[in-house]
């Protein structure tokens, strides 16, 4: 939907570039992630809204013409393979169609998983 050449400095700046109905979903996604990972910091990585924890990417999300992309890295997709089977997926991504409700409760579970994984990696020195 947006040119990747466009440089965003904040998640809010990114969100403001979309139509109102898409902004609502992006705001809900942001708030859902913040609720589960309040210690995570906001960033833009790969020109996508990103939440980082312990200096590592936790999850990314982005809007496209027909879907919201959610990127919890491959382990986040693998751990919830069954629940995500209704959605188009990539190795570390899932697409939530804009014409259907985004499963925010599932997003919460995935982010919770990623936070635990991130904390475990931090303690083990990865």
């Amino acid at each position: 939907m947006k040119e990747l050449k466009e440089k965003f400095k904040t998640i809010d700046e990114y969100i403001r570039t979309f139509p109102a109905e898409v902004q609502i979903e992006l705001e809900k996604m942001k708030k859902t992630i913040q609720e589960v990972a309040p210690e995570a910091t906001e960033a833009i990585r790969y020109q996508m809204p990103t939440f980082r924890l312990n200096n590592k990417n936790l999850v990314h999300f982005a809007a496209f013409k027909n879907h919201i992309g959610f990127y919890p890295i491959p382990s986040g997709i693998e751990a919830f393979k069954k629940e995500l089977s209704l959605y188009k997926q990539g190795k570390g991504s899932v697409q939530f169609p804009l014409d259907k409700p985004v499963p925010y409760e599932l997003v919460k579970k995935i982010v919770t998983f990623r936070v635990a994984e991130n904390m475990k990696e931090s303690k083990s020195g990865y």
Side-chain angles (χ1 to χ4, degrees):
M1 198 172 213
K2 295 287 157 211
E3 287 287 324
L4 283 180
K5 294 174 188 158
E6 198 168 334
K7 300 287 183 204
F8 304 104
K9 291 180 179 68
T10 67
I11 291 176
D12 290 336
E13 188 179 293
Y14 175 91
I15 290 171
R16 282 193 300 269
T17 66
F18 290 91
E21 63 277 4
V22 177
Q23 286 185 37
I24 290 167
E25 295 304 327
L26 292 172
E27 280 292 340
K28 283 183 188 175
M29 183 67 77
K30 177 184 167 184
K31 283 180 178 28
T32 299
I33 295 165
Q34 287 174 320
E35 186 180 311
V36 177
E39 320 81 30
T41 57
E42 294 184 24
I44 298 290
R45 295 283 188 272
Y46 315 108
Q47 286 303 301
M48 291 188 289
T50 302
F51 280 86
R52 295 176 54 82
L53 188 61
N54 297 322
N55 292 318
K56 295 182 121 184
N57 293 341
L58 188 65
V59 295
H60 310 273
F61 64 96
F64 295 91
K65 185 176 181 183
N66 298 311
H67 70 276
I68 300 287
F70 181 59
Y71 307 85
I73 75 165
S75 63
I77 296 296
E78 185 62 30
F80 293 88
K81 192 184 331 190
K82 186 177 178 185
E83 294 95 322
L84 292 169
S85 65
L86 303 170
Y87 305 98
K88 187 173 180 183
Q89 298 171 43
K91 185 178 177 189
S93 66
V94 61
Q95 296 179 10
F96 299 126
L98 286 170
D99 62 353
K100 293 185 172 65
V102 174
Y104 290 108
E105 287 304 312
L106 179 55
V107 169
K108 284 182 184 180
K109 289 178 186 176
I110 296 170
V111 174
T112 300
F113 170 84
R114 286 288 300 125
V115 167
E117 188 174 58
N118 180 289
M119 299 304 273
K120 184 178 175 187
E121 287 172 1
S122 293
K123 286 179 182 162
S124 64
Y126 281 100

